[in-house]
Amino acid sequence: MTSVINVNLPEQSYEIAIAPSSLDQLGQQMASLKLGKKVLLVSNPTILKHFGERAIASLTSAGFEVTSCTLPPGERYKTLNSIQKLYDIALENRLERSSMMVALGGGVIGDMTGFAAATWLRGINVVQVPTTLLAMVDSAIGGKTGVNHPHGKNLIGAFHQPRLVLIDPDVLKTLPMREFRAGMAEVIKYGVIWDAELFAQLEASKRLDQLRYVKPELINFILTHSCQAKADVVGKDEKEGGLRAILNYGHTIGHAVESLTGYRLVNHGEAVAIGMVAAGQIAVELGMWQKEDTERQNALIQKTGLPTQLPSGVDIEEIIQALQLDKKVKAGKVRFVLPTEIGVVTVTDEVPSDIIRQVLRGM
């Protein structure tokens, strides 16, 4: 079950390589890029313990000079302080423009490594080796990098495309159950915004809340269809001038919930799930989506064990205020991605605040 998906871009196209045991081929794959020999491998302590030895062995056997660096796990460490640590190590090891940073980890590691690579020497190469389902299907692809500001998620960042995305489905076996579920939120997102066939396959599965209940064939289907959806959208709109905004389905309210709970109470996937429930209901209230379809979406979210209700104690007026800090606000208007049918969405900034309040109060 080996798949190669091309992300076709005007300036720098690249491959998403999906194959079991491909972590052991990392060095060989990177050698084919014919870049510099210095590599800074960035991970967190848990991931490095599980997979660092294999990754470093593969890189050194292919002739790379490897330095490794660990950053603490968790969204609350996705800050400029962590980036400073990467800069210090890059300087100490004399990373050059032909050198590479390799992100071995989930979305937080991928975002930070990508941002450090985008800004070190005005941009060096980065390779993404995602180890969580969420990073595999979403954050490792498309070149969005960044860190959080105390008042908002990913407000500091840059577009910086990887040279390669290497996905080894076998590494998911060590993924905590909660993190697997978080990734399923982004998979469901692709089903709603782009791929009705993916949505139908998820609906047909009996259980989606734990990896052990999902057959390898379905995991491969999930990875290839989700990555293809992301590649298709990014290929058409690399820097979110239009179409790429649909990838933010569920993220507008989701990011507000994450930020208001200090990135501790809910993880990214859980927040996106809550945001999708809210966006679906907003679409129903505006007469854009059928009630039956939002019920299908919500049933699928529940099947993965993800939340469909707001966390207790979150103030609705604070959510409304936080939406104004969203990166997608234009002329003071919040842009929402709203579904019109399974597999099709639209982007609108004509959502009255009263409708948002009404929907949130019902959650």
Side-chain angles (χ1 to χ4, degrees):
M1 294 190 295
T2 301
S3 304
V4 176
I5 295 165
N6 291 303
V7 183
N8 296 310
L9 299 170
E11 289 185 18
Q12 186 179 289
S13 298
Y14 56 94
E15 291 183 346
I16 305 166
I18 307 170
S21 301
S22 57
L23 183 60
D24 298 313
Q25 306 302 315
L26 175 61
Q28 188 179 327
Q29 290 268 10
M30 284 174 53
S32 69
L33 298 174
K34 294 182 167 45
L35 299 169
K37 290 298 182 185
K38 288 187 177 181
V39 171
L40 174 56
L41 180 76
V42 185
S43 193
N44 71 39
T46 304
I47 298 300
L48 199 68
K49 184 180 176 183
H50 281 306
F51 307 116
E53 196 173 310
R54 285 172 60 194
I56 291 167
S58 179
L59 289 166
T60 52
S61 67
F64 290 102
E65 301 168 28
V66 186
T67 302
S68 62
C69 166
T70 58
L71 297 173
E75 191 77 32
R76 63 185 180 277
Y77 295 107
K78 203 168 105 177
T79 64
L80 289 172
N81 285 339
S82 295
I83 298 298
Q84 182 66 50
K85 182 179 178 182
L86 294 186
Y87 291 154
D88 290 345
I89 294 172
L91 180 63
E92 188 181 321
N93 289 276
R94 300 290 187 267
L95 259 64
E96 303 161 355
R97 281 193 171 159
S98 63
S99 303
M100 284 181 272
M101 291 190 187
V102 176
L104 178 68
V108 170
I109 289 295
D111 281 4
M112 288 198 289
T113 307
F115 182 64
T119 48
W120 183 251
L121 303 180
R122 297 192 177 94
I124 68 170
N125 306 295
V126 65
V127 170
Q128 295 282 353
V129 186
T131 59
T132 66
L133 180 60
L134 193 150
M136 288 177 183
V137 300
D138 191 67
S139 60
I141 305 161
K144 274 191 177 181
T145 73
V147 295
N148 300 329
H149 184 276
H151 295 295
K153 181 166 170 137
N154 293 335
L155 292 178
I156 306 160
F159 285 98
H160 189 59
Q161 299 292 345
R163 299 302 300 261
L164 168 72
V165 180
L166 186 74
I167 296 175
D168 184 345
D170 290 345
V171 306
L172 292 174
K173 291 171 185 171
T174 65
L175 191 65
M177 192 189 311
R178 187 181 180 192
E179 292 298 326
F180 176 75
R181 292 172 177 171
M184 287 305 301
E186 296 284 359
V187 175
I188 292 169
K189 176 193 81 175
Y190 289 119
V192 175
I193 71 169
W194 194 258
D195 192 333
E197 184 187 357
L198 174 59
F199 192 94
Q201 286 286 342
L202 297 173
E203 278 191 309
S205 181
K206 285 186 179 178
R207 289 188 67 170
L208 294 168
D209 57 324
Q210 296 181 43
L211 177 65
R212 60 181 172 152
Y213 297 120
V214 185
K215 292 179 180 177
E217 295 79 15
L218 181 57
I219 287 293
N220 189 59
F221 186 91
I222 283 170
L223 290 174
T224 53
H225 274 247
S226 298
C227 291
Q228 188 66 63
K230 182 84 181 255
D232 288 346
V233 173
V234 171
K236 289 177 169 66
D237 177 18
E238 181 181 358
K239 296 188 176 176
E240 207 169 301
L243 177 68
R244 185 166 177 169
I246 70 172
L247 296 172
N248 295 307
Y249 178 58
H251 288 57
T252 304
I253 285 172
H255 280 170
V257 171
E258 273 187 283
S259 180
L260 290 171
T261 55
Y263 306 108
R264 293 170 187 267
L265 190 61
V266 294
N267 63 30
H268 180 65
E270 290 162 352
V272 168
I274 293 165
M276 288 192 292
V277 171
Q281 190 57 39
I282 288 170
V284 170
E285 297 296 334
L286 293 175
M288 298 169 62
W289 207 25
Q290 297 296 316
K291 188 171 184 288
E292 298 77 31
D293 284 339
T294 196
E295 287 170 352
R296 287 174 65 194
Q297 171 196 258
N298 296 353
L300 196 49
I301 290 169
Q302 287 173 326
K303 190 196 287 188
T304 60
L306 287 162
T308 56
Q309 304 287 319
L310 283 174
S312 60
V314 176
D315 186 87
I316 288 169
E317 288 308 312
E318 287 188 355
I319 294 178
I320 301 291
Q321 290 170 21
L323 294 178
Q324 289 298 323
L325 292 173
D326 192 271
K327 298 185 300 299
K328 299 168 287 297
V329 168
K330 192 172 182 181
K333 288 188 172 183
V334 181
R335 284 195 295 165
F336 276 89
V337 181
L338 300 177
T340 55
E341 59 184 275
I342 300 294
V344 182
V345 289
T346 188
V347 181
T348 179
D349 59 8
E350 299 296 331
V351 180
S353 295
D354 288 348
I355 294 288
I356 302 171
R357 285 189 183 88
Q358 177 188 325
V359 167
L360 293 175
R361 284 184 189 127
M363 294 176 63

